[in-house]
Amino acid sequence: MIREKFRHVLQEQHMIKQEQFHLFPVAADRGYWDDVPVEVRQSLIRQAEKYINYEWPIVSASMIMAFTRTGSLDLCDETYLKRRTALGTLAVAECLEGAGRFLDDIINGIWAICEETSWIGVMHSEEALLPLGKGHSLDLRAAETGSLLAWVSYLLGNELNKVTPHIVQRIQEEVKRRILDAYMGRDDYFWMGFEKRPVNNWNPWINSCFLTALLLVEEDAKCRWEGLTKCITSLDAFLESYHSDGGCDEGTTYWDRAGGALLDCLELLKHATGGLVDLFQEPLVQNIGRYIYRAHIHETYFINFADGSAKITNFQAVQAFKYGQLIHDPMLCDQAVNQYRISSVKFVQHPWYPMLRSLSEIKYYPALTQEKGSPPYLRDVWLDGIQVMAAREQSNSPSGLYLAAKGGHNAESHNHNDIGQFILYADGYPVIIDAGVNSYNKQTFSDQRYEIWTMRSTYHNVPTVNGYEQLPGRDYQAGWVDYQADDNYARFKLDLALAYPSEAGIREWIREITLSRSSSAYVKLQDTYDLTSSRSALQWQFMTCCEVQEPQPRELFFQSNEGPSVRLIYPEHLTMTKERIETNDKWMSKVWGERIYRITFSCQAMAYQGSINFVFEQM
């Protein structure tokens, strides 16, 4: 897209020189920094004061080896990221205060990070048990580190040079070696997209960091131009991987590092070319931005298929707001303003401190706090490319039932085996849920991924047939999908047969999910099956965060702690069991508390063909 659109007009002379970069003012521009709202200044300086005389934590060899030995990355990763958080916090505070109070600690932080053998995250290292820092490799952690140091050098270069020029020089040497050379020296990183392998959020995320380092550190005009053109080619691979609907199949949690990182790239590209490369009016780019409000349910709840979390408590409001402004979409701006308003903490210390976003939050703070906006609460959403639908009873309100469901395939980025998955909310609060994902560990992205319960179809709201669950891989997909919606209903139909191995004996399994908008609204799930054999029980799983009661046969009550109760009416010949699942994982407990439940309905197929109905009604 970018190459084709600009290949006849974009030339080397259109790229700005290093000294022409001015996306944000440097610390010496006291007119800008002294004009920052007092509450912003006080908050950020207060955060930095706890790092005065900071004892920079050591990332020890035993911490690194613990990942290989135990699969846990918590201690190593947290220690690694504490350094980045401290440096970014100190640098911003020094820009705000401008008195030199934080400079020594900033220098200590720069030196400590530059002395690290490797910036590669322990979970992404290509080296053995311990890194030696040899060769060229580039991952998310290294890219963010290079970007952070480049920003610190840009913002505080004059102040640091007054102490000694060796500090900025050290940053330039390390960023060039570890980021720029590592990027330009290889074409075989999967995330670059040059080998026709699927790409994900790594592409715009790393490209945005590379662009930052290129623009702020590289002085040679030829190298800058070569880096820019290579980056554009890589970004095209990311854009080409998206369907025209702009849907993010990685989960809404990843929007800020997929669509949001694309925004970072496009903003930097526009600045780097003096405004010539401007893609914000392209329909695909606009839809990638709009995805985040199309997937919004209520408050901090979002559709969370794949590795997404049902709650986004650290919503990147400034990204959404900037995106909305650049594509001229007031609904996206309203979504951002609302999410910023309900956020309990402003100026959160990001673990890797993405400086571009932190500087943007300072700049856009008045607009985010002074403008009024309410979420769009779209009545109907259909993303035909990733095969995700959502529907609520009425527009502009979270009241009533809300349904979301998906088709797709089982080789999506951050995939779960979940074709036919659906979630159900009442008045904006969860009833039938997607459990989400446990904290990442060594197993998460290994060939043992689908041994983790959160990834398996048996812990999603889909059937288990003749004892068989869905399998991972591109061949396991929805056979066909159909979506219809009007003032009376929203209906989603698909064939699940291809999601299961042939041994499951499925000729056809039609799942039809309907949200009725009648005076007595309901959601009806109907599974109609045609089997070649019936060797074992048919099972239907429903995951819930609610307490479940059975007041009488054929009825279940889901009692929510947040919203209204929901009644489920189910066929009388089904046997029901309830399993409590402890959610003591730190990621899941933040969303669901201490437990969730899996409700399983079972029956022996009476014939090879049949139909089962479940009806949900809000009480």
Side-chain angles (χ1 to χ4, degrees):
M1 175 186 287
I2 310 174
R3 289 169 300 170
E4 183 63 27
K5 187 175 180 66
F6 297 101
R7 64 189 174 94
H8 295 303
V9 293
L10 182 61
Q11 304 295 327
E12 184 175 340
Q13 63 265 27
H14 294 131
M15 187 177 181
I16 62 171
K17 299 177 181 178
Q18 182 194 32
E19 62 269 18
Q20 293 175 309
F21 185 94
H22 53 79
L23 197 58
F24 290 95
V26 298
D29 186 350
R30 298 315 308 164
Y32 174 83
W33 291 101
D34 291 343
D35 198 39
V36 170
V38 63
E39 63 268 31
V40 176
R41 178 187 310 280
Q42 290 175 347
S43 175
L44 292 173
I45 290 177
R46 190 162 51 246
Q47 287 182 20
E49 286 174 336
K50 67 183 180 183
Y51 295 117
I52 293 176
N53 298 321
Y54 186 53
E55 293 291 333
W56 293 86
I58 295 177
V59 181
S60 67
S62 60
M63 289 180 185
I64 298 172
M65 291 188 293
F67 176 71
T68 301
R69 291 169 171 170
T70 69
S72 173
L73 56 86
D74 286 353
L75 183 58
C76 180
D77 208 38
E78 288 173 7
T79 305
Y80 173 102
L81 293 174
K82 282 178 181 178
R83 290 177 162 213
R84 278 76 180 158
T85 301
L87 177 59
T89 304
L90 287 162
V92 168
E94 182 59 38
C95 290
L96 287 163
E97 192 174 82
R101 184 160 64 118
F102 302 105
L103 273 180
D104 278 359
D105 290 295
I106 291 170
I107 292 170
N108 285 337
I110 292 170
W111 213 253
I113 292 172
C114 287
E115 285 292 304
E116 292 175 359
T117 301
S118 173
W119 291 345
I120 303 294
V122 63
M123 72 294 287
H124 304 141
S125 178
E126 295 179 355
E127 298 185 86
L129 193 61
L130 284 172
L132 297 175
K134 296 181 179 180
H136 287 156
S137 186
L138 188 56
D139 78 327
L140 303 174
R141 292 284 191 261
E144 280 286 5
T145 300
S147 174
L148 173 60
L149 287 171
W151 274 112
V152 173
S153 175
Y154 164 77
L155 293 168
L156 295 167
N158 290 335
E159 288 71 19
L160 294 171
N161 282 333
K162 289 176 184 177
V163 179
T164 170
H166 292 170
I167 304 163
V168 171
Q169 180 182 340
R170 181 71 188 276
I171 290 175
Q172 291 174 332
E173 290 175 353
E174 297 294 344
V175 171
K176 284 184 179 180
R177 177 173 67 87
R178 303 191 199 215
I179 308 305
L180 301 183
D181 290 350
Y183 186 100
M184 297 302 296
R186 289 177 58 176
D187 294 334
D188 62 337
Y189 297 114
F190 86 91
W191 48 264
M192 281 184 166
F194 298 152
E195 295 187 327
K196 303 305 179 184
R197 296 170 59 190
V199 298
N200 60 8
N201 67 87
W202 279 49
N203 179 290
W205 190 345
I206 295 178
N207 275 316
S208 68
C209 295
F210 167 77
L211 265 179
T212 299
L214 181 75
L215 295 173
L216 296 178
V217 171
E218 183 59 69
E219 299 171 340
D220 183 84
K222 185 174 184 295
C223 291
R224 289 168 68 84
W225 174 247
E226 289 176 351
L228 183 77
T229 54
K230 183 174 182 178
C231 184
I232 285 174
T233 304
S234 179
L235 280 172
D236 269 342
F238 176 75
L239 290 167
E240 290 164 6
S241 74
Y242 263 63
H243 299 285
S244 60
D245 59 28
C248 178
D249 67 1
E250 301 178 73
T252 43
T253 308
Y254 278 92
W255 177 84
D256 77 302
R257 284 298 165 184
L262 175 67
L263 168 65
D264 293 336
C265 291
L266 297 184
E267 184 179 21
L268 289 165
L269 278 176
K270 184 176 180 180
H271 185 67
T273 60
L276 181 61
V277 176
D278 183 349
L279 273 81
F280 290 107
Q281 301 315 307
E282 292 292 324
L284 174 58
V285 170
Q286 294 182 337
N287 280 335
I288 290 173
R290 291 170 179 145
Y291 168 75
I292 197 60
Y293 69 73
R294 289 170 172 164
H296 180 236
I297 301 172
H298 180 49
E299 294 179 347
T300 59
Y301 286 110
F302 288 79
I303 297 172
N304 67 312
F305 302 139
D307 272 355
S309 171
K311 277 187 176 181
I312 303 180
T313 54
N314 60 340
F315 184 86
Q316 296 289 300
V318 66
Q319 291 299 98
F321 188 80
K322 281 203 302 182
Y323 215 134
Q325 286 201 325
L326 289 165
I327 67 173
H328 308 298
D329 188 333
M331 288 196 293
L332 185 50
C333 291
D334 285 347
Q335 175 75 21
V337 169
N338 178 75
Q339 295 297 138
Y340 199 72
R341 182 172 60 246
I342 66 176
S343 174
S344 59
V345 181
K346 306 297 189 290
F347 304 104
V348 176
Q349 293 185 348
H350 306 283
W352 45 77
Y353 216 94
M355 188 66 77
L356 175 57
R357 300 185 181 195
S358 298
L359 296 174
S360 295
E361 185 174 2
I362 295 171
K363 177 180 177 179
Y364 289 99
Y365 176 82
L368 286 166
T369 54
Q370 294 171 15
E371 294 192 15
K372 297 181 179 180
S374 59
Y377 288 129
L378 301 181
R379 192 190 72 174
D380 293 294
V381 172
W382 172 231
L383 304 172
D384 62 331
I386 62 172
Q387 297 180 354
V388 168
M389 62 80 66
R392 62 179 84 239
E393 288 188 36
Q394 54 188 316
S395 299
N396 303 316
S397 172
S399 298
L401 294 173
Y402 176 95
L403 169 70
K406 72 177 295 290
H409 58 83
N410 281 340
E412 296 165 342
S413 184
H414 293 268
N415 179 69
H416 292 202
N417 292 337
D418 62 350
I419 298 165
Q421 169 76 334
F422 76 98
I423 56 176
L424 177 69
Y425 281 57
D427 285 357
Y429 297 104
V431 179
I432 304 299
I433 64 171
D434 189 306
V437 64
N438 286 318
S439 304
Y440 287 163
N441 56 47
K442 189 177 181 180
Q443 186 181 0
T444 307
F445 298 106
S446 72
D447 55 7
Q448 286 86 44
R449 176 179 177 88
Y450 295 100
E451 296 175 15
I452 303 173
W453 69 268
T454 58
M455 312 296 178
R456 298 173 55 185
S457 66
T458 50
Y459 290 88
H460 289 79
N461 310 314
V462 299
T464 300
V465 184
N466 282 324
Y468 289 92
E469 57 188 282
Q470 295 184 14
L471 293 182
R474 188 61 179 84
D475 291 338
Y476 299 97
Q477 59 185 305
W480 53 264
V481 298
D482 180 66
Y483 165 81
Q484 299 177 29
D486 59 22
D487 291 342
N488 299 313
Y489 69 90
R491 180 172 296 134
F492 184 58
K493 293 179 66 175
L494 71 167
D495 184 4
L496 304 184
L498 291 178
Y500 296 81
S502 59
E503 292 83 357
I506 307 174
R507 226 183 247 111
E508 186 177 60
W509 192 292
I510 305 304
R511 167 157 286 197
E512 180 176 326
I513 312 175
T514 302
L515 168 65
S516 170
R517 297 187 172 108
S518 60
S519 56
S520 53
Y522 60 85
V523 167
K524 179 180 178 181
L525 170 66
Q526 181 178 62
D527 279 357
T528 303
Y529 55 85
D530 182 0
L531 308 176
T532 61
S533 65
S534 178
R535 298 181 302 277
S536 182
L538 304 181
Q539 294 181 322
W540 288 262
Q541 293 90 210
F542 298 109
M543 307 295 294
T544 184
C545 57
C546 299
E547 293 295 335
V548 181
Q549 295 182 352
E550 188 174 19
Q552 59 185 357
R554 298 187 62 242
E555 284 190 357
L556 288 186
F557 281 7
F558 295 88
Q559 296 183 321
S560 170
N561 291 327
E562 297 178 289
S565 298
V566 168
R567 178 174 63 179
L568 167 60
I569 303 172
Y570 64 91
E572 60 184 357
H573 67 277
L574 297 185
T575 301
M576 188 273 291
T577 60
K578 180 173 71 171
E579 173 191 358
R580 178 185 173 105
I581 300 172
E582 304 297 331
T583 50
N584 48 16
D585 175 82
K586 66 178 182 179
W587 285 12
M588 297 194 74
S589 61
K590 289 180 181 179
V591 180
W592 307 123
E594 64 182 17
R595 54 75 193 130
I596 58 176
Y597 297 100
R598 178 171 66 160
I599 309 301
T600 300
F601 295 96
S602 304
C603 74
Q604 182 68 43
M606 305 303 292
Y608 289 170
Q609 293 84 30
S611 183
I612 296 288
N613 294 328
F614 298 91
V615 178
F616 298 89
E617 300 172 339
Q618 184 169 321
M619 303 299 291

